Amino acid sequence: MNTAIAAAVLEVLSLNQRVELDPVHPAKFSLKACFPNVLYSEFYVRLFFGLVMASITLITIYLSVYTYAVLIFVLGVWMIWEWSRLVYQKWNSRILILQMLGYFVVTMCAVLQHYNAALYIMLLIALLSYVFSLLGHYGQKTALWSGAGIFYVSFPTLSLIWFRHDLSLGVQALFYLMLIVWLTDSMAYLVGKNIGGWKLWPSISPNKTWSGFCGGLIASGLVGALWGGYLQYPNILALICLSFVLSLTTQIGDMLESAMKRNFGFKDSSLLIPGHGGILDRVDGLVFAACMAAILALWSDTSQPGAALLMIGS
């Protein structure tokens, strides 16, 4: 093992080593080309970066609403850039800056708990994005997709920050939601990769299978059962059902985001995260799950959304 690793390092450092570019994305280096003699597995790359992102997310959630809002804002800005890249097929600096500035105001409104103001800002930015796109001769379809981007990024932002403001069970609710989304995605990937079977939606996402879909649902049910047992809920079955709903929403969000990318001729929203693609690829399920969780909490108690979400299973 040590000999093989040493040989690979010497080969890379050699003056005669020629590093080839990734043929699909010629501006990016390929790990396989750089380390041809070292075992390279997509699963381990996904696992490593997934654990790093999960750790950062959980730490920022635990620390305060402000640290979590900063993380969400940074990710949201990158999502807006990726959305613009998908919709316009290139940079559109005027609309991109408009949406980023508008998103900053939306995030600040969420931190200050001015949610109605945030909704008005979203509507204004969406309208301006639509108008500027038409003035730039992009066509109505592109204009509509451009305006929709600010909603796609801002609604989950408002939802997640709203949950974190709940000092009673906001942190616990977010931890629970993240576990549902992450395990649904991970188990769907692992089960689908190893068992395979019938394709879920082959024209949109040819690698997703019904076995992976069921694996994600089962994993979410286990999370609900364990979470209910840990918090000593009297009605664990209800929490398991809630977990199924959030898992289903997560997988629907994943599929819809894939459909949107295919509509614009892209497989990945970017190459920011090795093994995962872009931020849009990584949080597609969370976008929809966060909004669904907020709707369920709104149905019960607007003053304590975290407690409201978790008490659905009590």
Side-chain angles (χ1 to χ4, degrees):
M1 176 67 72
N2 293 334
T3 304
I5 294 177
V9 172
L10 289 174
E11 184 178 355
V12 171
L13 295 178
S14 172
L15 293 176
N16 296 325
Q17 172 69 15
R18 178 175 178 268
V19 178
E20 297 180 357
L21 294 177
D22 189 326
V24 179
H25 305 282
K28 303 293 182 180
F29 285 101
S30 169
L31 288 177
K32 291 181 180 180
C34 294
F35 301 97
N37 295 327
V38 178
L39 179 62
Y40 179 85
S41 170
E42 181 185 0
F43 169 73
Y44 291 113
V45 174
R46 287 174 61 97
L47 178 62
F48 173 75
F49 284 96
L51 290 175
V52 170
M53 291 184 293
S55 301
I56 294 173
T57 300
L58 295 178
I59 290 172
T60 56
I61 290 174
Y62 179 78
L63 289 177
S64 72
V65 64
Y66 304 108
T67 56
Y68 190 42
V70 169
L71 175 65
I72 292 176
F73 174 73
V74 171
L75 297 180
V77 166
W78 195 273
M79 290 170 66
I80 290 173
W81 178 84
E82 291 180 348
W83 187 278
S84 178
R85 172 177 174 266
L86 294 177
V87 171
Y88 294 104
Q89 310 287 311
K90 59 182 180 180
W91 282 86
N92 187 309
S93 56
R94 180 173 59 177
I95 296 177
L96 189 61
I97 293 174
L98 168 68
Q99 291 189 343
M100 286 182 176
L101 290 176
Y103 178 65
F104 173 77
V105 178
V106 169
T107 306
M108 290 301 299
C109 287
V111 171
L112 299 174
Q113 302 187 69
H114 298 315
Y115 300 108
N116 289 335
L119 293 176
Y120 290 132
I121 296 297
M122 289 163 56
L123 288 171
L124 176 61
I125 298 302
L127 179 60
L128 291 176
S129 299
Y130 176 79
V131 172
F132 287 160
S133 295
L134 291 180
L135 292 176
H137 305 289
Y138 283 104
Q140 187 172 11
K141 177 183 175 182
T142 300
L144 288 172
W145 276 106
S146 177
I150 193 67
F151 293 114
Y152 187 85
V153 178
S154 296
F155 273 128
T157 295
L158 294 178
S159 301
L160 294 171
I161 295 177
W162 181 49
F163 277 115
R164 185 57 185 85
H165 272 299
D166 182 1
L167 299 179
S168 59
L169 288 172
V171 172
Q172 291 89 330
L174 284 173
F175 280 10
Y176 164 76
L177 177 63
M178 296 300 164
L179 285 175
I180 291 293
V181 173
W182 293 339
L183 284 181
T184 294
D185 180 68
S186 298
M187 292 307 297
Y189 172 80
L190 288 175
V191 173
K193 203 79 169 177
N194 288 279
I195 296 180
W198 293 333
K199 301 298 182 181
L200 188 60
W201 195 355
S203 61
I204 297 300
S205 188
N207 294 326
K208 290 183 173 60
T209 62
W210 280 103
S211 63
F213 175 81
C214 294
L217 286 179
I218 293 173
S220 71
L222 292 175
V223 171
L226 294 174
W227 201 261
Y230 172 71
L231 295 181
Q232 299 181 346
Y233 283 166
N235 190 354
I236 295 180
L237 180 60
L239 193 61
I240 293 175
C241 292
L242 171 64
S243 302
F244 284 152
V245 171
L246 294 176
S247 176
L248 179 62
T249 307
T250 297
Q251 300 198 61
I252 290 174
D254 191 346
M255 297 298 294
L256 291 179
E257 200 258 352
S258 295
M260 190 271 285
K261 289 185 299 183
R262 295 286 181 181
N263 179 60
F264 289 103
F266 285 86
K267 181 180 181 297
D268 296 319
S269 57
S270 74
L271 293 176
L272 177 66
I273 312 170
H276 293 274
I279 298 296
L280 286 175
D281 302 313
R282 180 64 273 179
V283 303
D284 46 12
L286 179 61
V287 166
F288 285 79
C291 293
M292 175 58 72
I295 292 171
L296 294 173
L298 280 169
W299 187 22
S300 179
D301 185 0
T302 58
S303 62
Q304 294 182 313
L309 178 67
L310 293 178
M311 288 304 107
I312 293 175
S314 65

